[in-house]
Every structure is written in structure tokens, then in C-alpha cells.
Amino acid sequence: MTQEQCPQRNNVQSTEKPQVYKVGIYGWRKRCLYFFVLLLMILIVVNLALTIWILKVMNFTIDGMGHLRITERGLKLEGDSEFLQPLYAKEIQSRPGSPLFLQSSKNVSVNILNEKKQLVSQLIAGSHGVHARGKMLEVKSSAGKLLFSADDHEVVVGAERLRVMGAEGAVFSNSVETPHVRAEPFKELRLESPTRSLYMEAPKGVKIEADAGDFQATCRSDLRLESKDGEISLDARKIKLLRLPEGKASPSGTRQTVFEAFGDHFAEIQ
């Protein structure tokens, strides 16, 4: 190759443009990328707005959420609350000066368990009534005085007066031990056993008084007054024994005085 041809070749190579390689995403891929980035930004803004709205509606603060506050003594809940699952707490109390309401559509149950998870005491308040289960039940006054107590052995009424308001009175299937039985003022006191016997026993005596009325004892069979070691005294201005049979004096032995009734009067027969 001659020297004249070499300059021509160099001129041809110099006149050609250099090739440029593009790096990046172009065309529809670029448009899709921008669309997804814009959609992601919209979702972030919507989520941020919803989060702020929830925080505002639920009243989230540093101390708690809504009506629920976190204090040094525990959780403080204001207003009405609804629990869909069991609630486990050491102590539940209302605000000072406000009542505490427990409301349920079916029943309210309070269960006491021991260390072995066994039921020892239970209180159920439902539509059928209030049921209590336990070893002992006590009711005390505000001063600490025992008013009522019940266990497997006995039932104790500590009030000064036990009042029965039922029309049929009180029915006892077994014996009753009491130092005093009294009716209300201007009311009658009746001790009755419709199908069995009625016994009144006391080691030091039985006293029956009717200060402003009559005392009446009625029976279908025999009425018997018996004193084993003492005597029977009838102390009254008038003693009437109606329907007495005719009495006759005994001809032998000591003389006895026999009384015979004629209507409402008595005559002495020697």
C-alpha cells in the first residue's frame, strides 16, 4: 500500500461517528416502573393517613388508649366496656363515688380456684336466680356483726329478730330449739302440727303467757295434763269445767270433795 492510500483510509475512519451504548430502562418498562413507584407512594400516603386517623379516633396517648389508662397501680378503664373473652384480674374496683355494674346477657359467674385449679367457691347470677356454692356462707353488717351464717353443720341467724312474712308461716321438718317464740303485736301466735304431734320440752319449765288475750288449746282426742314430781295449779277467779260426769263421794277411806257441774255452775258434794 502506498503512502497516498493510507491518508485516505484514515480520513474514512475519522469521519465515522463513535457508537454510544445506552444504559437504563426505556420504553414501556420505564412507564411501568414509574406507575408502580407512584402507586407505592399513594399506598404509603393512604396508610399514613389511616394510621393517623386510627390514632386520633382511638385516642392513643402516652398514658394509654381510649378510656384505658396505664397507671402505677394498674389499668384504669373509664366508661362502659365489653369483654368478649375471660377477664383475669387481681382486683376490680370502680372510681371513688361511682357504682360498679356487671352486666351480661346470660349470667355472671364468679369462680374461686385453689392452687390445684379445683373449684372451691362459686357464685352464679343468671336468669333462673342466684346460686352460691362453697363451704360456708356469711352475711355481716357494716359494723361487722354476724347476721347470717350457714355451713354443713348449722345455720345461724345473728339478727335480733327473725321475721317470717309468709301466709303459711314457717314450716320445720325437724325440731326447733329457741328460747323465745313471740308473735307480732296485735297478731296471733299459732303452734300447729296438722298430721303429727306437737311437743314442747324444756329442762326448767315451759311458760305460756297471753297478757292481752286468751290462751286456747284444742285437740281432737284426749288433752292430758301430767306432772310427775309436782302439782298442777289452776289459778283464776272462775274455773269452769263443762260436761263433767256425775261424781259420788266414796263411802270408805278419807272423805274427798267432788264437784259436779250443772250447766255453767258447780256444786260441791261432800
Side-chain angles (χ1 to χ4, degrees), residues 2 47 76-77 83 146 151 157 162 164 174 188 192 194 209:
T2 60
N47 289 334
K76 182 179 179 181
L77 187 61
F83 298 94
L146 181 63
D151 55 14
V157 179
L162 176 62
V164 180
N174 294 318
E188 295 182 355
E192 181 179 358
E209 292 183 358

Side-chain angles (χ1 to χ4, degrees), residues 234-241 264-266:
L234 300 176
D235 186 5
R237 293 183 179 180
K238 294 182 180 180
I239 299 177
K240 297 181 180 180
L241 301 176
D264 294 339
H265 303 280
F266 293 88

Side-chain angles (χ1 to χ4, degrees), residues 217-224:
T218 305
C219 64
R220 185 174 298 276
S221 297
D222 298 335
L223 177 62
R224 182 177 179 181

